[in-house]
Amino acid sequence: MNTIEKFDKHVMHSYGRYPLVMQKGEGRRCTDENGKTYIDFGSGIGTNSLGYCDEKWADAVCTQVRTLQHSSNYYYTGIQAEFAEKLCETSGYDSVFFSNSGAEANECAIKIARKYSFDKYGKNRHNIITLVKSFHGRTIATLSATGQESFHNYFFPFLEGFINVNANDIDDLKSKLDNTVCAVMLEYIQGEGGVNALNQDFVNAVFELCADKDVLVIADEVQTGAGRTGKFLAGEYFGKKADITTMAKGLAGGIPIGACLTTEKCSNVLTAGTHGSTFGGNPVACAGGIAVLERLNSEGFLDEVSEKADFIRKELEKCSEVESVSGIGLMIGIKLKTKTASDIAKKALDKGLLVLTAKDKVRLLPPLTISMEEIKGGMKILIDILEE
Ligand SMILES: Cc1ncc(COP(=O)(O)O)c(C=O)c1O
């Protein structure tokens, strides 16, 4: 049996996979089992933020594996303390709960929002407003939060207490933000929903209306965070700091991680026994996270992310098949005039380039460390396919 046959025999068929068996990666290129190499414009859906097997990151991770690979959260570890300190300093937040994925980080945010409200106002103020076309994860609570009907199938009953508002529709928001609501949860740029950035007026309205009513703002920065947009958090673009921000994906450079960050207001909501995670704050993930933060905080790194993004956007705008380019920084959505995104992704794979799709768009989330030479190589492949 070859790898794909073995895989399909034993792994559940919950993904529509490409016929590519990844074997190894180096820098921003990966190699399949037949030795074919690919320039990676997807970084494992925005996760390999420093590319494949970055040397400093790999050293930090391997050293930690050989020192202490896991410890129960009933004990303290120096490495979790160090990562938490660096993450709070970098993000401007006061405290963090670590988990292992974006969905779990959002579960934590949902629990904090509901408990914050319960502690202060009692029952019946548990509703959370989320946006149409949002994506918050695959657990039952985060699927319930996700504002896309196509995700609300099969697994009934979903969790009550989520109300959807149209993105960028201030009147819709005002009409639904009543005294049953404890939080508004948003992605500044909806990723899975099609790489759609919110507009500034709407974001302003969310923060103003929520502040008036002591309703918390939860920013889901699972995809937009950790330097993806050229800022550490996309909220910085909008001049906003949510009460709660969730992160995952690129935060530890490819090791499972989730982080739920809170301002001082919510730092003491979770008390002993109210939340937990066996693997959350795992020492190896924390070592990976520290290596990522050190690189993101290094002189000029995030400016370079923006410069690289500008170059890609300008190249795309010159292409006759491109209708429009969306997103911020290295989170790029490409709306096409005549071709379909999934066909482009398949053709790109054939030609040695990995790209993603989001709804009807081609989506690019390249590693933040991608070089200009790799960008030019990948863009040549992509533009040639688009203009074919
Ligand atoms: C904005 C957003 N939130 C949450 C998630 C879920 O993250 P995970 O797959 O790590 O649970 C994703 C994943 O794509 C995401 O893009």
Side-chain angles (χ1 to χ4, degrees):
M1 251 194 273
N2 67 28
T3 301
I4 293 181
E5 287 162 352
K6 206 190 294 178
F7 201 102
D8 283 346
K9 182 157 191 266
H10 298 290
V11 179
M12 291 186 197
H13 298 188
S14 60
Y15 292 90
R17 293 187 168 87
Y18 295 99
L20 160 63
V21 181
M22 276 285 187
Q23 193 155 41
K24 58 181 182 178
E26 193 184 343
R28 276 68 53 183
R29 285 187 166 85
C30 53
T31 308
D32 70 16
E33 63 174 1
N34 303 314
K36 179 174 168 184
T37 62
Y38 302 80
I39 297 175
D40 190 352
F41 273 11
S43 59
I45 320 190
T47 296
N48 294 329
S49 43
L50 305 183
Y52 292 99
C53 310
D54 175 88
E55 224 161 283
K56 277 195 184 157
W57 172 87
D59 283 347
V61 166
C62 292
T63 303
Q64 188 58 46
V65 170
R66 293 182 188 286
T67 309
L68 179 77
Q69 87 278 21
H70 176 75
S71 164
S72 155
N73 273 309
Y74 287 112
Y75 310 111
Y76 295 90
T77 62
I79 193 92
Q80 189 176 148
E82 190 186 336
F83 184 37
E85 181 182 54
K86 284 202 160 70
L87 184 55
C88 287
E89 271 169 19
T90 305
S91 63
Y93 280 90
D94 292 285
S95 56
V96 58
F97 180 89
F98 288 119
S99 54
N100 316 286
S101 66
E104 283 174 82
N106 286 337
E107 288 272 347
C108 181
I110 291 165
K111 286 177 74 173
I112 291 176
R114 286 190 169 173
K115 186 165 182 299
Y116 172 85
S117 189
F118 177 82
D119 289 348
K120 218 164 155 184
Y121 302 100
K123 281 188 173 170
N124 299 324
R125 194 178 178 275
H126 56 256
N127 286 328
I128 296 179
I129 288 181
T130 62
L131 302 184
V132 173
K133 289 199 185 159
S134 59
F135 181 79
H136 297 297
R138 298 283 193 161
T139 60
I140 289 287
T142 56
L143 270 183
S144 306
T146 291
Q148 300 186 50
E149 278 313 308
S150 57
F151 285 100
H152 299 163
N153 278 309
Y154 317 122
F155 312 111
F156 305 102
F158 287 93
L159 203 64
E160 62 175 285
F162 294 95
I163 300 167
N164 296 149
V165 158
N166 290 315
N168 297 328
D169 186 339
I170 298 175
D171 290 337
D172 197 22
L173 173 70
K174 280 185 181 159
S175 73
K176 290 170 181 163
L177 191 53
D178 59 22
N179 58 11
T180 67
V181 174
C182 65
V184 174
M185 185 167 177
L186 52 83
E187 296 155 88
Y188 291 106
I189 311 164
Q190 296 183 329
E192 303 307 306
V195 197
N196 307 307
L198 297 182
N199 70 40
Q200 183 75 52
D201 286 349
F202 181 74
V203 173
N204 290 347
V206 169
F207 277 77
E208 276 160 29
L209 292 167
C210 285
D212 280 353
K213 292 170 179 277
D214 194 20
V215 167
L216 300 176
V217 180
I218 303 170
D220 177 345
E221 294 234 28
V222 165
Q223 195 162 146
T224 54
R228 175 57 47 197
T229 63
K231 305 271 186 205
F232 184 68
L233 293 173
E236 295 168 49
Y237 266 101
F238 291 86
K240 299 294 178 209
K241 183 175 166 190
D243 301 290
I244 305 175
T245 284
T246 57
M247 301 183 72
K249 288 201 184 281
L251 184 58
I255 309 248
I257 185 95
C260 179
L261 293 152
T262 62
T263 58
E264 206 180 349
K265 187 168 160 180
C266 298
S267 286
N268 296 314
V269 171
L270 294 181
T271 49
T274 54
H275 199 44
S277 163
T278 298
F279 284 115
N282 168 271
V284 180
C286 289
I290 291 169
V292 168
L293 291 184
E294 281 173 355
R295 193 69 57 83
L296 263 49
N297 285 328
S298 66
E299 183 75 29
F301 184 91
L302 290 178
D303 291 338
E304 272 180 36
V305 168
S306 298
E307 284 159 23
K308 291 185 268 197
D310 287 347
F311 177 85
I312 296 177
R313 285 164 192 282
K314 285 198 183 112
E315 287 299 294
L316 287 169
E317 277 156 11
K318 283 190 251 165
C319 172
S320 57
E321 172 59 20
V322 172
E323 170 93 35
S324 58
V325 184
S326 63
I328 301 175
L330 285 179
M331 183 165 175
I332 299 171
I334 311 167
K335 193 165 168 52
L336 304 173
K337 286 185 183 156
T338 60
K339 300 192 157 83
T340 57
S342 56
D343 283 350
I344 298 298
K346 280 183 209 138
K347 282 192 180 161
L349 191 76
D350 258 10
K351 302 242 149 102
L353 175 70
L354 303 184
V355 301
L356 305 163
T357 60
K359 299 286 179 256
D360 61 340
K361 290 181 186 164
V362 174
R363 176 172 45 152
L364 311 182
L365 295 170
L368 307 182
T369 51
I370 194 153
S371 69
M372 281 310 289
E373 178 255 321
E374 289 154 341
I375 288 176
K376 285 179 185 162
M379 289 305 288
K380 164 108 184 59
I381 298 174
L382 183 59
I383 303 273
D384 281 353
I385 298 169
L386 290 174
E387 291 186 340
E388 225 166 48

